[in-house]
Amino acid sequence: MKKSIKDLGDIKGKTALVRVDINVPLDENKNVSDDTRIQAILPTLNYLKDKGAKIVLMAHLGRPKGEVNPEFTLAPVAKYMSKLLGEEVVFIPDVKDAQNVVKTLKEGQIALLENIRYYKAEEAKDDDMTFANELAKLGDFYVNDAFGAAHRNHTSTAKLAKVLKPAVSGLLMEKELRCLSEALDNPTRPFTAVVGGAKVSSKIGVLENLIDKVDNLIIGGGMAYTFVKANGGKIGNSICEDDQLEVAKAIEKKAADKGVKLVMATDVLVTNDFSGNGENKFVKINEIPDGFEGVDAGENSRKAFADVLLNSKTILMNGPVGAFENPKFAEGTKAVLNAIVKATKNGATSVIGGGDSVSAAKKFCKASDFTHVSTGGGASLEFIEGKILPGVAALDDK
């Protein structure tokens, strides 16, 4: 377990240097179009304000690749946050001027540094700590509340925690680690994982790690066709990784050896036009005609997935079971999410992790319908794989 801001003593008048993930989408007028990530850090900001700390936020926006690029400025985010909080969030355009600005902050006041990825040293792979030492001058202690960037071994997410102490998690980071850890390490059984997405190759680590932990493993989305082909089925023009056929067989064998129930689609919705405007029909998953590709779980599969989910006590979803971005191919993913919502109402613990699953959950449901919706795509994926996240490892242990 890592220390959190709740483990700190008296911080009144001290300056918290806080790494947050407010990499939010902006519309063409540079207005914030989705503030989910900003809302997620408010408990940490409010806690620090209530305790009388001064707050200096570090964050990134997009990928400016170590160059100053107005397209990726955080100025509009500072403006949005000022409006949201009803008080000015002081924007600091350059780290060089930051010390002077920080000196003028009052207790409970918040400042936001310009995009930390404007500086080449932020993403540098070397062990040079110059930039970390420069940033460390801006605070009395370090807080990482950026779970979405915790898998990055960058200066503001990992190196800084080694030079500025204490180094603790914020409330969002603490919640992410607690919810994901409890689901993976101490689940109420039966424990079911839904793993979807296009490629087996990107989810091998996830599948391998989950087979050691779950009772049921639902495999959906594009990766299912690699399993079907590995077993001699006809998949038409469906997405498939021919170099992963043996991996698919090995995963099936491991599941059988461990007594894990592997639940695959038996029927699918196929199309001869990915835009959805061609011929769409249901067929058996191993009898997809040439010229057609699988794009969603079929009606029987949806029911089979839902039956397993409704009998589960812990559910982890990582990846959709169809090309849900197109409304014509979204019913399978909707059915899975609706079953998870129902199971949650009946007392199950549900955790949604991974970028596409989170997008689908937001699109078709409310975040409050689930026990926890992770704010980190790549980070939650690596955590579920059992990898060590540099931004978490660098924090102080309890």
Side-chain angles (χ1 to χ4, degrees):
M1 287 291 287
K2 295 294 179 181
K3 282 187 176 168
S4 86
I5 48 176
K6 292 187 285 200
D7 298 307
L8 297 169
D10 182 17
I11 53 174
K12 191 173 163 60
K14 297 227 170 95
T15 303
L17 188 55
V18 190
R19 177 59 158 101
V20 289
D21 180 12
I22 46 176
N23 185 22
V24 292
L26 304 173
D27 64 20
E28 61 277 7
N29 300 316
K30 291 285 179 217
N31 293 318
V32 173
S33 56
D34 179 354
D35 73 350
T36 307
R37 286 179 164 164
I38 296 171
Q39 294 287 347
I41 62 165
L42 294 183
T44 295
L45 300 187
N46 290 331
Y47 182 94
L48 292 168
K49 278 164 69 74
D50 291 347
K51 296 287 180 190
K54 302 165 186 181
I55 302 160
V56 179
L57 303 178
M58 301 171 291
H60 74 279
L61 186 74
R63 296 186 176 176
K65 302 192 168 131
E67 305 284 338
V68 174
N69 183 338
E71 192 191 331
F72 299 113
T73 177
L74 278 166
V77 181
K79 194 171 130 195
Y80 182 88
M81 288 179 70
S82 299
K83 209 165 117 187
L84 183 71
L85 296 165
E87 61 190 78
E88 188 198 1
V89 171
V90 181
F91 184 62
I92 306 174
D94 196 324
V95 165
K96 285 202 261 315
D97 314 322
Q99 264 181 287
N100 297 328
V101 178
V102 172
K103 278 181 195 144
T104 67
L105 291 179
K106 298 179 180 68
E107 289 178 7
Q109 202 171 5
I110 301 171
L112 172 63
L113 292 177
E114 178 57 284
N115 195 334
I116 202 78
R117 288 189 184 170
Y118 276 6
Y119 305 91
K120 278 198 165 52
E122 163 67 1
E123 298 182 69
K125 300 275 192 282
D126 54 39
D127 295 326
D128 188 347
M129 300 298 269
T130 312
F131 190 43
N133 287 319
E134 193 183 331
L135 289 171
K137 292 173 189 163
L138 304 177
D140 297 305
F141 61 96
Y142 171 78
V143 180
N144 193 342
D145 211 29
F147 180 73
H151 58 313
R152 305 285 184 210
N153 192 13
H154 293 169
T155 297
S156 68
T157 56
K159 288 182 188 174
L160 190 50
K162 292 170 186 159
V163 292
L164 182 58
K165 296 288 185 186
V168 299
S169 72
L171 301 179
L172 172 64
M173 175 76 88
E174 184 185 47
K175 185 186 180 201
E176 289 275 9
L177 296 174
R178 187 183 71 247
C179 291
L180 285 165
S181 297
E182 281 175 3
L184 289 168
D185 301 332
N186 193 19
T188 310
R189 297 194 179 276
F191 176 18
T192 299
V194 181
V195 181
K199 294 182 171 178
V200 175
S201 54
S202 62
K203 296 282 172 92
I204 293 169
V206 169
L207 294 166
E208 292 273 355
N209 197 33
L210 286 175
I211 286 173
D212 289 331
K213 300 174 185 290
V214 300
D215 302 295
N216 309 299
L217 183 56
I218 295 173
I219 292 182
M223 68 163 79
Y225 305 107
T226 300
F227 284 87
V228 175
K229 188 168 179 181
N231 287 303
K234 276 187 64 185
I235 60 164
N237 293 22
S238 304
I239 187 169
C240 178
E241 293 173 285
D242 288 334
D243 60 342
Q244 300 293 324
L245 299 178
E246 290 308 312
V247 172
K249 299 281 281 186
I251 288 167
E252 286 186 341
K253 184 180 182 317
K254 186 177 175 184
D257 292 347
K258 294 262 179 188
V260 171
K261 185 180 177 190
L262 211 52
V263 187
M264 298 263 194
T266 51
D267 64 333
V268 281
L269 179 68
V270 297
T271 187
N272 59 0
D273 179 354
F274 196 71
S275 71
N277 298 324
E279 186 187 348
N280 305 326
K281 59 184 181 180
F282 291 109
V283 299
K284 285 185 176 168
I285 196 166
N286 55 358
E287 294 176 10
I288 300 174
D290 291 341
F292 283 81
E293 61 182 312
V295 285
D296 195 11
E299 290 171 326
N300 297 331
S301 304
R302 293 169 202 168
K303 190 180 176 314
F305 293 168
D307 287 346
V308 173
L309 291 164
L310 290 169
N311 287 304
S312 301
K313 288 285 174 233
T314 303
I315 299 164
L316 176 68
M317 181 176 180
N318 186 272
V321 299
F324 74 91
E325 295 84 356
N326 186 328
K328 292 180 180 174
F329 309 147
E331 293 305 317
T333 299
K334 271 195 216 169
V336 165
L337 286 165
N338 289 338
I340 296 173
V341 170
K342 203 166 165 186
T344 309
K345 282 191 181 130
N346 294 338
T349 297
S350 56
V351 177
I352 311 290
D356 288 339
S357 319
V358 172
S359 302
K362 273 196 218 157
K363 190 171 177 177
F364 304 125
C365 313
K366 298 192 299 289
S368 56
D369 291 333
F370 309 96
T371 309
H372 181 61
V373 178
S374 180
T375 55
S380 61
L381 189 66
E382 291 194 16
F383 193 92
I384 296 164
E385 279 184 55
K387 287 184 180 171
I388 288 168
L389 307 182
V392 176
L395 298 175
D396 299 347
D397 291 319
K398 277 204 188 220

